């Protein structure tokens, strides 16, 4: 009998343990999220649950179409909950205690207040979903990736769904012929002479999120078929906070960055600084077949290049709550870049029998520098207690660049052609002014919102090109009056818009219209003057969204966009760096209009999401670079002339698949895949009547490992069709591993870029009398090591932000 007692107790112990385990995991936190004014429910709000004192979220969920949430299977303990939604100040619920007897905690109605200004935010370190979807685009939360530490905006953009970054650092949206990059809702192309330079030095630690807007709201300019909006961090917790980081790669590149903020009771100051140094190496090969009635010959060109560049970026912002209903925000940005390069290329002239007739050797050197300065001022006024707001914004920018290049050309056999030495000095200046006046207010029961606004944009571009040829007899540089020229460009755009948004019981409708009057004039120092007749453009905008059955989302959009010809495409200055491949702008270009429609469907589970999107666009007067090959009279030499033109119409149909899978809180995978069918038709040249399929894909994977370590990887591929051919890129990749130290304040990260080899780019181009194939490769394969340290000092005398108490 005594021997049986232990077995009996063992059985009881097993049963008791099972019951205890069941009770231990049956804790629930539930509630409803509504607007503070009007009590309208908020679907798809992010609900994050933390163990008290923990920095990483235990689990993350979203409210259903009626604003309800329920977090289950929680063990006994002390928790806190954070509720966040775009456009509202985050809300924290503290002191939620779950016990075996009190395991169901109903927090009741949790009210989110409209985000009148950044000082009302309660920002903490929180693991948001990396990707959020909507009918009008995608939001990429930078802080949820390892790339948020010690990298740049360019690095982050390479992994944003639907975004492609080319070898020069220019970012575009899949399926869109023209994309604009905004910073904090303001166009960056007005802020700098080279967007790629700005993005390559902008520290990722200072970025909160990146919005990919495939159907931009009416308050944005009608330019571009889509907008990439980079939203910068405005502040942190009350007190003094920030981080400092350094990174270096085995290729010789490196960067250092820091950002910090101080928040008081009714004001906040934030700023950032960054410095980067890059080393570039590349090789290229171009093979062109030239077909003419009486002759056929070939050009085989090979080249190599080396470059060094460095740049610095400084940002400073100041927010002040003048009164509880008034806020003013000031921000400024300064960017400075310097570069130097040298390259050598050899062009072999081949006969119809592929016999080399002569060799041209060209040695090129270049030195460049640029700087830009931007200042923004924004004023907000809450006009009434029902949610009316008046906003006034003013932006001034000035930037300049100076590019000095020397081209030393010689020929073999000696005597067939004379050696030349040419020097190009290109001095460019830009100035701009932007003014915005916006008003928004709820109308009926606060379930909707009407927005009205006026805007004015002014831009001035001064491009002064001095070309000098060396006289070997006098040993002096002499001005080449035929190529030297000054291009002056002035642009004025007056705009007004109105939009109406309605949301109720899972339904969302946005409609708006924007009207813009464009007045452009430009002239040359040679005496040629071009006055573009002012033209009026109307841009309707419609968006429909339906969230139903707690896990499905259906969306549809329609909009009209414009691609305006600007100084880079209009300027007729001739670039004859390569005398056999010259390029120039076209002052006779007309604006191109695009009608675009999207249909999206989203399905969301607790651990996964899948969002297919079907997009159709029809463009008239598409502006693209167009190449022709001309036989030089009296010789067997053909010159390629490349310019921009309204090449014709393009109808494009795109299927975009975006998915995310998170089997556990520590593992996440996401991917997006695009198939884009383009169909060009043109009366300009029969070679432009073509169609083709573009393919783009991205895959990302991240994993939280034990001992405060993490791993992340990303793969990208792009193969795009153009009006005259195809641009085929290679697979690009990045693999990162991170280790945290000192209570998560210090982290060490190692990244391997392009493990499969350096980044390659292949271009196929075809016209009526030529075929061209170009191949280039750059030294992108690199190991990068980075350290990042975060610091926080909470102010003791400033009261903490209000939090809701559990009911």
């Amino acid at each position: 009998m005594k021997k049986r007692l232990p077995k009996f107790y063992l059985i009881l112990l097993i049963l008791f343990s099972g019951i205890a385990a069941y009770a231990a995991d049956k804790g629930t936190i539930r509630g409803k999220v509504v607007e503070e004014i009007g009590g309208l429910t908020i679907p798809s709000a992010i609900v994050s649950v933390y163990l008290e004192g923990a920095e990483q979220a235990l689990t993350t969920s979203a409210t259903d179409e009626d604003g309800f949430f329920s977090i289950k299977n929680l063990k006994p303990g002390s928790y806190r909950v954070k509720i966040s939604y775009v456009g509202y100040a985050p809300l924290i619920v503290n002191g939620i205690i779950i016990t075996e007897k009190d395991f169901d905690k109903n927090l009741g109605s949790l009210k989110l207040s409209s985000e009148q200004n950044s000082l009302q935010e309660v920002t903490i370190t929180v693991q948001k979903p990396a990707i959020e979807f909507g009918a009008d685009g995608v939001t990429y939360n930078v802080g949820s990736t390892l790339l948020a530490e010690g990298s740049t905006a360019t690095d982050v953009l390479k992994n944003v769904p639907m975004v492609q970054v080319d070898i020069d650092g220019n970012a575009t949206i899949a399926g869109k012929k023209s994309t604009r990059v905004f910073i904090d809702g303001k166009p960056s192309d007005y802020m700098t002479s080279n967007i790629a330079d700005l993005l390559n030095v902008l520290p990722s630690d200072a970025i909160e999120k990146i919005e990919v807007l495939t159907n931009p709201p009416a308050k944005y300019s009608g330019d571009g078929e889509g907008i990439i909006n980079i939203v910068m961090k405005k502040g942190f917790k009350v007190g003094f906070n920030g981080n400092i980081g350094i990174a270096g790669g085995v290729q010789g590149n490196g960067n250092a960055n820091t950002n910090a903020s101080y928040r008081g009771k009714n004001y906040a100051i934030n700023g950032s600084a960054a410095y980067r140094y890059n080393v570039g190496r590349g090789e290229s090969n171009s093979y062109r077949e030239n077909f003419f009635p009486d002759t056929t010959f070939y050009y085989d060109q090979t080249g190599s290049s080396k470059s060094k560049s460095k740049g610095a970026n400084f940002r400073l912002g100041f927010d002040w709550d003048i009164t509880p209903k008034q806020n003013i925000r000031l921000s400024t940005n300064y960017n400075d870049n310097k570069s130097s390069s040298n390259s050598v290329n050899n062009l072999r002239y081949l006969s119809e029998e592929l016999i080399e007739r002569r060799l041209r050797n060209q040695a090129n050197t270049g030195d460049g520098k640029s700087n830009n300065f931007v200042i923004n001022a924004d004023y907000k006024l809450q006009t009434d207690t029902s949610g009316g707001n008046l906003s006034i914004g003013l932006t001034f920018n000035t930037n300049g660049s100076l590019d000095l290049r020397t081209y030393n050309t010689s020929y073999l056999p000696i005597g067939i052609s004379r050696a030349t030495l040419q020097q190009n000095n290109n001095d460019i200046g830009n100035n701009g002014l932007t003014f915005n006046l916006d008003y928004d207010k709820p109308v009926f029961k606060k379930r909707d919102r009407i927005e009205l606004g006026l805007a004015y944009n002014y831009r001035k571009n001064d491009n002064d090109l001095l070309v000098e040829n060396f006289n070997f007899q006098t040993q002096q540089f002499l001005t080449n009056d035929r190529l030297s020229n000054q291009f002056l460009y002035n642009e004025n755009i007056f705009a007004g818009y109105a939009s109406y948004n309605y949301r109720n019981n899972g339904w969302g409708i946005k409609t708006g219209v924007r009207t813009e009057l464009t007045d452009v004039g430009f002239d040359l120092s040679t005496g040629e003057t071009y006055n573009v007749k002012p033209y009026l453009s109307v841009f309707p905008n419609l968006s429909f969204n339906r969230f139903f059955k707690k896990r499905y989302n259906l969306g549809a959009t329609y909009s009209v966009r414009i691609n305006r010809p600007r100084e880079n495409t209009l300027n007729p200055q001739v670039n004859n760096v390569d005398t056999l491949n010259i390029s120039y702008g076209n002052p006779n270009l007309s604006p191109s209009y695009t009608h675009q429609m999207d249909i999206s469907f989203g399905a969301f589970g607790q651990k996964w999401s899948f969002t297919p999107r079907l997009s159709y666009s029809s463009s008239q007067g598409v502006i693209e670079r167009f190449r022709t090959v001309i036989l030089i009279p009296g010789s067997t030499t053909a010159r390629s002339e490349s310019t921009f033109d309204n090449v014709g119409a393009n109808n494009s149909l795109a299927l975009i698949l975006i998915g995310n899978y998170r089997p556990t809180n520590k593992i996440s995978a996401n991917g997006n895949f695009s198939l884009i069918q383009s169909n060009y038709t043109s009366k300009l040249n029969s070679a432009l009547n073509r169609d083709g399929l573009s393919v783009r894909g991205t895959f990302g994977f991240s994993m939280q490992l034990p001992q405060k370590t993490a791993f992340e990887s990303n793969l990208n591929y792009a193969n795009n069709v153009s009006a005259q051919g195809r641009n085929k890129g290679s697979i690009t990749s990045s693999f990162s591993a991170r280790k945290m130290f000192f209570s998560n304040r210090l982290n060490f990260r190692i990244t391997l870029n392009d493990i499969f080899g350096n980044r390659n780019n292949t271009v196929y181009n075809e016209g009526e009398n030529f075929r061209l194939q170009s191949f280039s490769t750059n030294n992108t394969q690199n190991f990068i090591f980075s350290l990042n340290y975060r610091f926080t000092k909470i102010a003791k005398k400033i009261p903490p932000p209000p939090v809701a108490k559990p009911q």
Side-chain angles (χ1 to χ4, degrees):
M1 180 69 179
K2 292 182 179 180
K3 293 182 179 179
R4 294 180 180 179
L5 283 177
K7 293 182 180 181
F8 175 74
Y9 289 136
L10 180 61
I11 294 172
L12 289 179
L13 180 63
I14 293 174
L15 290 174
F16 179 79
S17 299
I19 295 172
Y22 170 76
D25 292 336
K26 69 176 182 177
T28 301
I29 298 176
R30 67 180 78 244
K32 182 179 182 180
V33 181
V34 299
E35 292 181 353
E36 183 179 47
I37 300 176
L40 179 64
T41 60
I42 301 178
S44 302
I46 302 302
V47 183
S48 302
V49 178
Y50 298 79
L51 281 170
E52 200 65 49
E55 295 189 4
Q56 296 292 327
L58 180 66
T59 183
T60 301
S61 184
T63 57
D64 62 21
E65 68 249 46
D66 297 318
F68 289 101
F69 67 90
S70 178
I71 311 296
K72 299 179 179 180
N73 301 322
L74 298 174
K75 295 180 180 180
S78 181
Y79 296 88
R80 76 177 188 274
V81 170
K82 178 180 178 180
I83 314 293
S84 60
Y85 189 72
V86 177
Y88 294 84
L91 177 67
I92 300 173
V93 183
N94 285 325
I96 306 172
I97 300 176
I98 293 178
T99 65
E100 293 181 8
K101 294 182 178 180
D102 187 11
F103 54 82
D104 192 344
K105 308 296 292 187
N106 189 346
L107 306 183
S109 293
L110 302 175
K111 299 179 180 180
L112 297 189
S113 61
S114 179
E115 207 171 57
Q116 301 297 329
N117 55 68
S118 64
L119 296 181
Q120 294 180 350
E121 296 176 353
V122 183
T123 306
I124 61 174
T125 302
V126 58
Q127 188 70 19
K128 292 183 180 179
I131 305 171
E132 298 178 55
F133 307 95
D136 299 317
V138 175
T139 298
Y140 186 78
N141 293 307
V142 176
S144 298
T145 72
L146 299 189
L147 288 174
E149 302 148 359
S151 58
T152 66
T154 301
D155 298 321
V156 176
L157 280 167
K158 292 176 182 177
N159 302 297
V160 176
M162 300 176 63
V163 173
Q164 180 189 1
V165 180
D166 66 18
I167 204 164
D168 297 318
N170 300 304
T172 56
I173 299 176
K176 307 296 182 183
K177 287 296 178 185
S178 58
T179 302
R180 300 186 71 194
V181 178
F182 280 36
I183 296 178
D184 283 335
K186 298 178 187 273
S188 65
D189 47 357
Y190 292 172
M191 302 179 186
T192 177
S193 56
N194 190 334
I195 298 174
D197 284 343
L198 177 60
L199 297 179
N200 201 33
V201 75
L202 198 63
S204 59
D205 296 88
I207 301 173
E208 179 181 343
K209 60 184 177 181
I210 296 176
E211 299 172 331
V212 182
L213 304 176
T214 55
N215 183 40
K219 69 180 298 182
Y220 288 113
S221 166
D223 281 293
E225 297 177 21
I227 290 174
I228 299 172
N229 184 33
I230 300 174
V231 181
M232 309 300 294
K233 292 178 181 176
K234 305 301 187 299
F236 301 88
K237 301 176 184 177
V238 173
F240 183 62
N241 311 265
N243 70 273
I244 184 170
I246 58 172
V250 297
Q251 294 278 13
N253 58 304
N255 70 73
N257 67 85
T258 182
N259 63 77
S261 73
Y262 178 79
R263 175 173 294 176
K265 184 176 182 180
N266 63 346
Y267 71 94
I269 301 173
N270 62 81
S272 67
Y275 174 83
R276 56 96 181 170
Y277 179 82
N278 288 339
V279 177
R281 299 178 184 87
E283 296 181 352
S284 62
N285 175 250
S286 178
Y287 187 77
R288 193 173 86 206
E289 303 172 75
N290 306 279
F291 307 106
F292 294 95
D294 299 328
T295 181
T296 299
F297 52 92
Y298 308 90
Y299 292 153
D300 186 13
Q301 183 170 336
T302 57
S304 61
S305 63
K306 295 181 180 180
S307 64
K308 297 179 181 179
S309 62
K310 55 185 178 181
N313 178 267
F314 304 92
R315 298 179 64 86
L316 184 64
F318 175 72
D319 287 8
W320 177 32
D321 274 346
I322 305 171
T323 69
K325 295 184 178 181
Q326 297 183 78
N327 170 265
I328 190 169
R329 175 181 296 169
L330 302 174
S331 64
T332 184
N333 180 87
Y334 177 76
N335 197 51
D336 186 85
N337 297 279
K338 292 181 174 61
S339 64
S340 62
S341 64
N342 60 79
S343 63
V344 175
N345 65 71
N346 295 290
L347 188 144
R348 293 171 174 82
Y349 298 73
L350 305 179
S351 67
E352 189 170 2
E353 296 77 23
L354 298 179
I355 299 174
E356 182 177 322
R357 294 187 288 113
R358 59 174 169 159
L359 170 68
R360 188 196 70 181
N361 173 268
Q362 190 175 67
N364 309 323
T365 61
D367 290 287
K369 60 181 180 180
S370 66
N371 60 79
N372 68 83
F373 174 76
V374 182
I375 184 167
N376 296 296
D378 295 284
Y379 171 78
K380 278 190 176 182
L381 172 66
Q382 183 179 342
T383 58
D384 53 61
T385 57
S386 63
N389 297 292
L390 177 70
S391 303
I392 301 174
L394 186 66
T395 300
F396 169 76
N397 68 279
T398 179
N399 62 72
S401 64
L402 186 63
D403 192 26
L404 178 62
R405 296 187 179 274
T406 302
Y407 310 98
N408 192 345
T409 308
S410 60
Y411 295 86
L412 289 174
I414 298 174
I416 293 182
S417 299
R418 291 187 304 168
T420 62
L421 178 61
Q422 180 174 303
Q423 185 171 277
N424 289 17
N425 192 340
N426 201 190
D427 189 359
I428 303 175
N430 288 282
N431 292 293
L433 182 68
T434 302
F435 172 79
N436 295 286
L437 176 64
D438 303 288
Y439 178 74
D440 63 274
K441 178 181 173 63
V443 181
F444 302 111
K445 298 181 181 180
K446 303 177 182 60
R447 296 180 180 273
D448 61 356
R449 185 166 291 271
I450 189 171
E451 298 181 12
L452 304 170
L454 298 172
Y456 168 69
N457 293 316
Y458 168 74
R459 298 184 68 231
K460 179 181 180 180
N461 174 267
D462 184 350
N463 189 328
D464 192 358
L465 175 63
L466 174 63
V467 179
E468 297 176 305
N469 294 109
F470 190 72
N471 188 313
F472 289 92
Q473 293 181 345
T474 63
Q475 294 292 297
Q476 291 180 324
F477 277 102
L478 302 177
T479 301
N480 186 328
D481 294 322
R482 184 173 60 88
L483 297 178
S484 298
N485 190 26
Q486 186 175 15
F487 175 81
L488 299 172
Y489 174 88
N490 287 277
E491 176 186 273
N492 293 275
I493 300 178
F494 304 86
Y497 78 91
S499 67
Y500 177 75
N501 303 337
Y502 178 79
R503 183 166 58 85
N504 187 23
N505 295 328
W507 292 85
I509 298 176
K510 300 178 184 178
T511 182
V513 63
R514 184 182 182 93
T515 303
E516 296 181 350
L517 177 65
T518 306
D519 183 15
V520 171
F522 53 96
D523 57 77
L524 305 175
S525 58
T526 56
E528 299 171 83
T529 300
Y530 300 85
N531 291 313
V532 178
K533 184 179 180 180
Y535 55 92
L536 188 68
S537 305
V538 179
F539 308 103
N541 183 296
L542 179 64
S543 175
F544 160 83
N545 194 71
R546 170 62 172 154
F547 187 75
F548 58 97
K549 292 188 177 180
K550 301 183 180 182
R551 60 163 48 192
Y552 302 110
N553 186 64
L554 180 65
T557 67
Y558 168 77
S559 63
V560 176
R561 310 294 296 173
I562 187 174
N563 183 15
R564 290 183 176 88
R566 287 197 163 93
E567 60 270 21
N568 292 333
T569 56
L570 293 169
N571 188 354
Q573 291 173 339
V574 176
N575 181 346
N576 76 329
V577 171
D578 184 343
T579 56
L580 296 179
N581 296 278
I582 69 173
S583 62
Y584 47 87
N586 181 0
N588 299 310
L589 289 174
S590 300
S592 172
Y593 292 92
T594 299
H595 295 256
Q596 54 187 30
M597 292 162 279
D598 283 10
I599 297 176
S600 63
F601 176 79
F604 307 90
Q606 187 175 1
K607 298 180 179 181
W608 59 271
S609 66
F610 178 61
T611 310
R613 183 186 298 265
L614 191 64
S615 176
Y616 174 79
S617 66
S618 178
S619 303
Q620 301 296 321
V622 176
I623 299 174
E624 282 198 26
R625 187 175 288 278
F626 174 61
R627 185 191 303 270
T628 57
V629 172
I630 301 171
L631 184 65
I632 299 175
S635 70
T636 56
T637 301
R639 181 177 67 221
S640 164
E641 295 189 4
S642 178
T643 187
F644 293 92
D645 215 321
N646 296 102
V647 297
N650 177 38
N651 295 320
S652 177
L653 181 65
L655 173 64
I656 303 171
L657 307 176
I658 304 174
N660 177 270
Y661 178 57
R662 192 167 187 168
T664 71
N665 292 332
K666 297 182 178 181
I667 299 176
S668 178
N670 64 81
N672 65 92
F673 178 75
S674 304
L675 285 175
I676 307 163
Q677 176 68 36
S678 299
N679 183 12
Y680 287 91
T681 57
S682 175
K683 296 180 181 179
L684 182 67
N685 191 303
S686 61
L688 298 178
N689 293 320
R690 63 172 68 239
D691 55 29
L693 189 66
S694 299
V695 181
R696 299 181 184 182
T698 299
F699 174 77
F701 177 82
S702 64
M703 177 185 295
Q704 298 289 330
L705 301 172
Q707 304 299 319
K708 297 182 179 181
T709 58
F711 168 80
E712 183 177 79
S713 64
N714 291 278
L715 299 174
N716 300 273
Y717 175 77
N719 189 332
N720 305 314
V721 68
S722 66
Q724 273 193 291
R726 178 172 294 278
N727 188 325
K728 182 180 179 182
S730 60
I731 295 177
T732 61
S733 62
S734 65
F735 296 84
S736 297
R738 181 192 65 189
K739 170 70 175 175
M740 308 290 290
F741 302 92
F742 303 120
S743 300
N744 296 332
R745 291 180 177 272
L746 178 68
N747 73 72
F748 171 74
R749 180 168 63 96
I750 180 171
T751 300
L752 174 58
N753 287 331
D754 292 331
I755 190 173
F756 302 109
N758 287 326
R759 187 171 185 177
N760 302 321
N761 197 42
T762 303
V763 177
Y764 300 95
N765 227 230
E766 187 175 7
E768 291 183 329
N769 58 358
F770 75 91
R771 280 199 302 262
L772 172 68
Q773 178 175 332
S774 300
F775 175 81
S776 63
T777 182
N778 293 75
N779 65 319
T780 56
Q781 191 175 58
N782 198 8
F783 276 101
I784 301 173
F785 305 88
S786 67
L787 280 174
N788 194 76
Y789 179 76
R790 301 184 185 277
F791 50 87
T792 302
K793 185 176 182 181
I794 303 299
K796 296 181 179 180
K797 295 183 179 181
I798 299 174
V803 297
K805 297 297 182 181
Q807 298 179 358

